[in-house]
Amino acid sequence: MAEKYVEMWKTLDMNIEKHNQLLNGLGQYYTRAILSQKNRPKKMDYFDFVVSEVHGLRIKELNDLRSAGKKVVGAFCIYAPEELVYAADATMVGLCGGADFSIPDAETVLPRSLCPLIKSFYGFKLNRTCPYFQSSDLVVGETTCDGKKKVYELLNELVPTYVIEVPHKPDTQQGKEFWFKELEAFKAEIEKLTGNVITPERLSQAIELINNKRRALKRLSDLRANSPSPISGLDGLLIDQIGFMDDISRFTVKVNDLCDELEQRVRDGEGVAEEDAPRIMISGSPMAVPNWKVHSIAEASGATVVVEESCVGTRYFTDLVEPESIGMKDLLWAIDEKYSKIPCACFTPNDRRIESIMQLAKQFKVDGVIYYTLQNCHDYNVEGVKVERALKAQGLPMLKIETDYAMGDSAQIKTKIEALLEIIQGKREH
Ligand code: BJ8
């Protein structure tokens, strides 16, 4: 891919040499972690193609849009209201933040004791190796965790960054009203950026566009509740990750095509793992591309990961935006309602998340939970205490893993996961 797109990357002011190193490493990791899986659905071909062109053709598409006068908005959090971005005829993309590669550069500025996701995204902008960052006209941040909101101040020195304030008690009336005002302010900001007025008609269409994407991802997720699951957890995660980068309409069609194939697999009783493979939920901090570490280790150890309770997973697609009318106020209130239901660990109290985990455990018939926390993420780390209590009350084992993006602890994680699988096996034998 490198040769073909070098000129484009130069126009985006990318660090070509460093970017080549990144691409080489990514290509090798993808082959090892993803392509080496057995019995993958045929329709995964499309998603493999997207990854092979994720810094090439997709970036060209974004830059063709920009040449046509449209804007690209980058984001890190599913709290960034994408419906408003699309309603203004702009495009939203997820920014790089899932790789160890950029962390040494970030640590020349930021403290080391910070969540790897935050260090990773800051490093990617600093070393100019993320073409999504380089193609963004605006970055949308949010006041979820302390680390992110402080780093957005520094990020704003490198790229225009607009920070949305997220209420931390979203279930209260004050929280909902506060969030409504933030949505109105964000709407005005996007209108200013694009020069387009967001009309109720445009917003309704954008809501339907994103709802359709969420429906397709939920359809895919629900298929994984079958026994055996027709697709690996690693491929399920990969598709959720790609959803933040690909063209929305095309992505929705391709996910539905894949679901058609998976439904046939279910009818044929065809799965990707042994029928009695322990069924695992992974719950916790989000996993951005190319964070495949825990899924790879779990599935190579004989488990099948059937669901991700994560923002790169169920939290993104569980609820839809469902307006009562197509008046602007009702549309914004419907967005307010949907986003207020995302159970991010930065909220307090956050019982909705515990309820969701228990419901998913039942729906996906899970045998155990891997509770995944990125290092120095206090919100997810502390919330793990309540999650563990709730799971224990239902007799479900939970393994807590706190890790970063480096591979140094892989052997240790493997040993812990094997111990979890033995506990599950022991319970079955009893
Ligand atoms: S809605 S989970 S995507 S904030 S960056 S909180 S891992 S210390 S990402 Fe998130 Fe939005 Fe919430 Fe979801 Fe922890 Fe790291 Fe902070 Fe993080």
Side-chain angles (χ1 to χ4, degrees):
M1 162 163 61
E3 286 302 303
K4 212 159 79 188
Y5 296 112
V6 157
E7 287 311 312
M8 175 179 77
W9 293 330
K10 280 186 187 162
T11 62
L12 292 172
D13 189 29
M14 293 186 62
N15 180 333
I16 302 295
E17 201 182 317
K18 213 160 204 178
H19 183 239
N20 280 343
Q21 291 166 18
L22 170 69
L23 286 187
N24 286 339
L26 270 183
Q28 286 168 20
Y29 186 28
Y30 195 76
T31 305
R32 236 179 19 251
I34 307 286
L35 297 179
S36 64
Q37 297 176 92
K38 295 203 176 73
N39 196 20
R40 298 177 76 214
K42 287 195 179 51
K43 299 281 181 186
M44 283 307 296
D45 284 1
Y46 170 73
F47 301 97
D48 291 335
F49 173 73
V50 174
V51 174
S52 71
E53 289 289 340
V54 79
H55 282 205
L57 199 54
R58 181 62 187 138
I59 302 302
K60 186 178 176 309
E61 286 180 347
L62 293 177
N63 284 283
D64 287 349
L65 290 175
R66 294 177 84 204
S67 304
K70 301 193 177 184
K71 300 292 179 191
V72 173
V73 176
F76 306 100
C77 173
I78 62 168
Y79 242 83
E82 53 188 327
E83 289 82 1
L84 289 168
V85 173
Y86 283 90
D89 206 19
T91 295
M92 194 153 103
V93 289
L95 298 169
C96 310
D100 206 28
F101 179 82
S102 55
I103 290 183
D105 289 312
E107 286 177 349
T108 62
V109 179
L110 300 177
R112 290 193 69 204
S113 55
L114 198 58
C115 160
L117 191 153
I118 302 172
K119 286 192 286 187
S120 178
F121 79 63
Y122 185 74
F124 270 115
K125 182 59 205 172
L126 203 60
N127 70 17
R128 295 177 287 115
T129 53
C130 170
Y132 292 87
F133 252 127
Q134 301 305 107
S135 303
S136 291
D137 298 290
L138 180 76
V139 169
V140 186
E142 61 332 296
T143 56
T144 45
C145 67
D146 289 347
K148 267 195 194 165
K149 80 182 172 206
K150 294 312 288 179
V151 172
Y152 290 142
E153 292 174 26
L154 301 172
L155 190 66
N156 190 41
E157 296 167 358
L158 307 172
V159 55
T161 303
Y162 177 88
V163 178
I164 305 182
E165 186 161 355
V166 176
H168 283 195
K169 290 168 91 175
D171 282 338
T172 61
Q173 193 53 28
Q174 299 97 297
K176 286 191 202 314
E177 282 168 16
F178 183 89
W179 179 233
F180 188 85
K181 290 205 173 78
E182 282 298 295
L183 288 174
E184 285 183 319
F186 183 62
K187 174 174 168 285
E189 181 71 21
I190 292 296
E191 288 177 332
K192 192 172 86 191
L193 174 79
T194 58
N196 294 329
V197 174
I198 297 178
T199 62
E201 291 70 31
R202 282 181 165 187
L203 187 52
S204 297
Q205 284 163 8
I207 287 173
E208 202 41 30
L209 178 78
I210 316 279
N211 275 351
N212 283 338
K213 176 186 169 189
R214 297 191 208 270
R215 282 189 190 103
L217 286 171
K218 177 143 188 349
R219 182 180 169 206
L220 170 62
S221 172
D222 286 350
L223 281 161
R224 292 167 65 193
N226 285 287
S227 215
S229 172
I231 186 168
S232 69
L234 203 44
D235 278 336
L237 171 68
L238 178 71
I239 293 166
D240 285 339
Q241 292 171 332
I242 290 172
F244 293 103
M245 291 160 166
D246 200 5
D247 172 84
I248 291 205
S249 305
R250 184 176 59 211
F251 175 80
T252 303
V253 169
K254 295 297 181 181
V255 172
N256 278 316
D257 285 352
L258 171 69
C259 290
D260 292 343
E261 182 184 350
L262 298 186
E263 279 170 1
Q264 186 58 48
R265 280 190 164 205
V266 170
R267 284 192 287 275
D268 296 343
E270 190 183 348
V272 281
E274 299 295 325
E275 211 154 323
D276 61 349
R279 298 170 65 84
I280 299 293
M281 177 194 317
I282 297 190
S283 166
S285 308
M287 297 171 169
V289 175
N291 183 356
W292 305 309
K293 182 163 79 172
V294 175
H295 280 66
S296 296
I297 297 173
E299 296 198 320
S301 304
T304 176
V305 177
V306 289
V307 59
E308 293 78 28
E309 189 281 316
S310 165
C311 290
V312 186
T314 55
R315 276 181 238 139
Y316 176 73
F317 54 71
T318 296
D319 296 297
L320 301 178
V321 177
E322 295 172 309
E324 281 176 10
S325 81
I326 56 153
M328 182 56 85
K329 249 189 160 177
D330 274 350
L331 294 170
L332 287 177
W333 270 115
I335 295 174
D336 183 311
E337 275 290 325
K338 185 257 159 345
Y339 281 77
S340 299
K341 286 190 208 148
I342 298 169
C344 176
C346 71
F347 299 144
T348 186
N350 196 27
D351 297 340
R352 195 193 293 278
R353 177 158 175 247
I354 315 283
E355 286 157 21
S356 163
I357 291 171
M358 301 317 292
Q359 184 271 320
L360 292 170
K362 206 168 158 196
Q363 182 194 347
F364 287 84
K365 305 180 280 289
V366 309
D367 298 301
V369 174
I370 295 178
Y371 193 86
Y372 173 81
T373 307
L374 283 171
Q375 259 169 21
N376 302 305
C377 173
H378 305 314
D379 292 333
Y380 281 93
N381 212 352
V382 175
E383 198 156 274
V385 175
K386 280 194 169 182
V387 173
E388 188 163 26
R389 281 185 202 147
L391 290 169
K392 204 171 168 191
Q394 294 298 318
L396 280 172
M398 179 182 115
L399 166 67
K400 210 167 173 190
I401 292 179
E402 187 180 358
T403 184
D404 57 11
Y405 293 157
M407 291 305 199
D409 59 357
S410 297
Q412 210 185 344
I413 292 175
K414 189 172 185 338
T415 308
K416 286 185 182 171
I417 290 178
E418 284 169 353
L420 172 71
L421 301 185
E422 272 174 32
I423 291 171
I424 291 170
Q425 204 50 47
K427 281 184 70 187
R428 282 181 176 174
E429 281 162 16
H430 275 86

